Amino acid sequence: MTDKAPALISASEWRRPRLRHTVGTLQGLLLVALVAFGLGPILWLAKSAISPTRDTLSHPMAVFPHGPAWSNVHQAWSTVQIGHYFWNTVFLAAGSWLSQIVVATTGGFALSVLRPKYAKVLSALLLTTLFVPVVVLLVPLYVEIVHPPLIHHSFIDSYWAIWLPAGASAFNVVLVQRFFDSLPREIFEAAKVDGAGPVRLFVSVVLPMSRPILGVVSVFAILASWKDFLWPLLVLTNPDRQPLSVRLPTIASQTELGVFLAALFIATAVPIVGFLIFQRSFLNGPGLGGAIKG
């Protein structure tokens, strides 16, 4: 630390014990504050999910004054049917993920690797759409879902109403395009010399080198789908097909607090655990930092 941060604290100043102890104490306090504000609400929710309702209301910060209530989780999963809505959410997230992966990778491949003459125009149009607020698009998008062109069949109460709009993510296409731009062009030229066409180049060369950016897009896609509330509320009117984000507010008024907090914990824990498990294999890899910063 003494050699790598001379702009803040010089090496001679860092040798002073008083300065080292002061900075170390401040760093420790900052770390404790970050952990408390970041993990505190999640830990409290985990504790309250297995606490009796009376304990949560009377002693919200106490740790199981009358013992844990593991039945909350069982009631939330079975009686309140959180399990059913959970699998609805998983199915929706999986379809949204697949839709975004397909569009982002093929779009990024076309703009970065194939590079047609109008690639710069398309890239500029994609960047322009990023400045349009999402709420402005709700009405025209809803009209398209109710009366889709050429199909003449409404997508209301169909999961396609979630999956198709999810794929139209300009941010993901731009992100993947910038990552593909950082890949060595010599590999693409060598593959073309060996006779690889666009499909073979995409499947056998580009995709195997794109694991880091595919992980980033996957994390963004799944988390966005998992927490999305407004759009599923508009297009999925059948309660049996709705995800957790839409059903939880209704469940709150129909069940006791302990069971509801258990349902909230289930909905919150799954994306956190999934990200912690797969973050290393998803996010580690060469060229990723440049793709995000660029």
Side-chain angles (χ1 to χ4, degrees):
M1 180 174 182
T2 59
D3 297 329
K4 295 183 179 180
L8 297 177
I9 301 175
S10 65
S12 59
E13 291 175 333
W14 188 253
R15 295 191 186 98
R16 301 175 185 176
R18 184 177 180 180
L19 179 61
R20 286 203 310 270
H21 296 327
T22 302
V23 174
T25 302
L26 292 176
Q27 290 176 339
L29 292 175
L30 179 60
L31 177 61
V32 171
L34 290 175
V35 171
F37 284 101
L39 293 180
I42 298 176
L43 295 178
W44 183 87
L45 179 61
K47 186 270 298 183
S48 301
I50 55 175
S51 296
T53 300
R54 66 178 186 275
D55 289 349
T56 302
L57 294 175
S58 59
H59 303 89
M61 303 307 296
V63 181
F64 309 126
H66 296 93
W70 296 100
S71 60
N72 287 349
V73 179
H74 176 72
Q75 291 182 41
W77 186 265
S78 302
T79 307
V80 189
Q81 295 186 328
I82 286 297
H84 174 74
Y85 305 126
F86 170 83
W87 289 115
N88 285 351
T89 309
V90 171
F91 194 51
L92 279 174
S96 298
W97 166 81
L98 181 60
S99 174
Q100 294 184 53
I101 285 291
V102 170
V103 175
T105 53
T106 54
F109 175 77
L111 296 176
S112 176
V113 181
L114 298 183
R115 291 185 177 179
K117 295 181 179 180
Y118 48 85
K120 292 184 178 181
V121 177
L122 291 179
S123 298
L125 292 176
L126 284 174
L127 290 173
T128 303
T129 62
L130 297 178
F131 294 94
V132 181
V134 178
V135 68
V136 176
L137 303 176
L138 283 179
V139 173
L141 184 59
Y142 185 80
V143 173
E144 290 289 327
I145 292 299
V146 175
H147 302 290
L150 303 179
I151 299 178
H152 305 297
H153 176 73
S154 176
F155 286 134
I156 294 296
D157 279 334
S158 170
Y159 286 156
W160 289 104
I162 306 293
W163 295 338
L164 293 178
S169 174
F171 174 77
N172 287 339
V173 176
V174 173
L175 191 64
V176 174
Q177 177 192 358
R178 297 304 299 268
F179 179 84
F180 288 170
D181 288 341
S182 67
L183 298 178
R185 310 296 301 182
E186 295 80 6
I187 298 179
F188 304 151
E189 299 301 329
K192 292 178 182 178
V193 171
D194 290 340
V199 176
R200 180 68 180 275
L201 180 63
F202 176 69
V203 175
S204 301
V205 179
V206 175
L207 285 184
M209 301 172 63
S210 306
R211 184 178 178 182
I213 197 62
L214 294 180
V216 173
V217 173
S218 298
V219 171
F220 287 163
I222 293 174
L223 291 182
S225 175
W226 196 273
K227 68 181 182 180
D228 193 15
F229 170 76
L230 182 57
W231 185 246
L233 177 65
L234 293 175
V235 299
L236 297 178
T237 59
N238 185 356
D240 290 335
R241 302 181 67 84
Q242 290 176 343
L244 280 172
S245 59
V246 177
R247 295 303 301 166
L248 283 175
T250 304
I251 293 172
S253 61
Q254 299 175 351
T255 186
E256 62 176 307
L257 180 62
V259 177
F260 176 66
L261 291 177
L264 279 179
F265 178 71
I266 293 173
T268 305
V270 171
I272 294 176
V273 172
F275 179 78
L276 292 176
I277 292 175
F278 297 107
Q279 63 171 335
R280 178 168 298 180
S281 61
F282 277 170
L283 302 184
N284 284 354
L288 180 58
I292 297 179
K293 293 178 182 178

